[in-house]
Amino acid sequence: VRCVQETGVHGMIYDKAGSSDFMSMGRELEPAGVLFQDKTYNFSFSKFEKQYESYYGSSVKLRYFLRVTINRNYAVKLSKEYDFAVLAPTPEPETGRNIKMEVGIEDCLHIEFEYNKAKYHLKDVVIGQVKFMLVRICLLYTSPSPRDRQKSRMPSSA
């Protein structure tokens, strides 16, 4: 028996046991028989809706792959996985409005941040201003520090 399976899997990168299939669809290509030469099979998964984009973060991954399996009577089955990426085309974000943010400590320090865009592409350069509105404490050193945070949790087992 020769079959192909399309699968979507999400899970934690360092926890293989915690990965779970969120979508899977299989198709038998040919019934049991003898294969004497190379053979090409045409297949399609037209109803396999890929609703999420592929993602490989620092702690979480979401991947799609094709698994081709050949079952044999005389030995263990052969299985091979082929990853593929899914990207959902999205329109360009609005860039017309500025974003302002104020932070501070009451009656000691007030800082205002202003950026020229509300949304950025990964290849964009962040341009903005930092204004110290009220400073009643001694500052020895200031430096902007962009941070990337990823939060993840696995669904609870019912």
Side-chain angles (χ1 to χ4, degrees):
V1 178
R2 295 163 226 16
C3 64
V4 64
Q5 180 181 18
E6 188 172 21
T7 306
V9 176
H10 62 82
M12 308 297 279
I13 287 182
Y14 302 109
D15 181 17
K16 301 269 186 204
S19 294
S20 62
D21 297 359
F22 61 87
M23 186 169 261
S24 182
M25 181 183 287
R27 179 155 298 136
E28 188 174 306
L29 299 173
E30 188 173 20
V34 181
L35 184 64
F36 290 109
Q37 60 193 18
D38 290 349
K39 191 165 185 181
T40 301
Y41 297 97
N42 294 321
F43 64 91
S44 69
F45 291 100
S46 57
K47 302 222 187 254
F48 191 83
E49 184 180 330
K50 297 163 201 73
Q51 57 188 358
Y52 306 112
E53 287 191 341
S54 299
Y55 179 74
Y56 291 88
S58 60
S59 60
V60 177
K61 67 180 173 185
L62 188 141
R63 69 186 268 253
Y64 293 93
F65 61 88
L66 286 173
R67 179 182 294 133
V68 179
T69 306
I70 299 175
N71 292 328
R72 304 185 295 182
N73 290 336
Y74 61 90
V76 293
K77 68 181 178 181
L78 297 174
S79 184
K80 179 80 173 168
E81 291 181 0
Y82 298 94
D83 281 29
F84 63 92
V86 173
L87 296 173
T90 56
E92 288 286 323
E94 297 176 19
T95 58
R97 63 185 178 111
N98 292 356
I99 188 168
K100 278 188 176 184
M101 178 175 48
E102 290 185 26
V103 295
I105 304 168
E106 189 174 332
D107 295 330
C108 290
L109 177 67
H110 288 256
I111 303 172
E112 183 179 284
F113 299 92
E114 186 174 350
Y115 304 101
N116 63 342
K117 292 192 231 177
K119 296 180 181 179
Y120 289 89
H121 185 274
L122 288 174
K123 294 182 180 179
D124 282 349
V125 175
V126 178
I127 299 173
Q129 295 180 343
V130 178
K131 297 177 186 174
F132 292 87
M133 307 303 280
L134 174 67
V135 180
R136 290 190 180 147
I137 58 175
C138 181
L139 298 175
L140 299 176
Y141 177 75
T142 61
S143 172
S145 176
R147 302 204 178 199
D148 175 27
R149 290 188 183 168
Q150 293 183 13
K151 293 184 180 182
S152 58
R153 67 178 177 86
M154 295 301 290
S156 59
S157 301

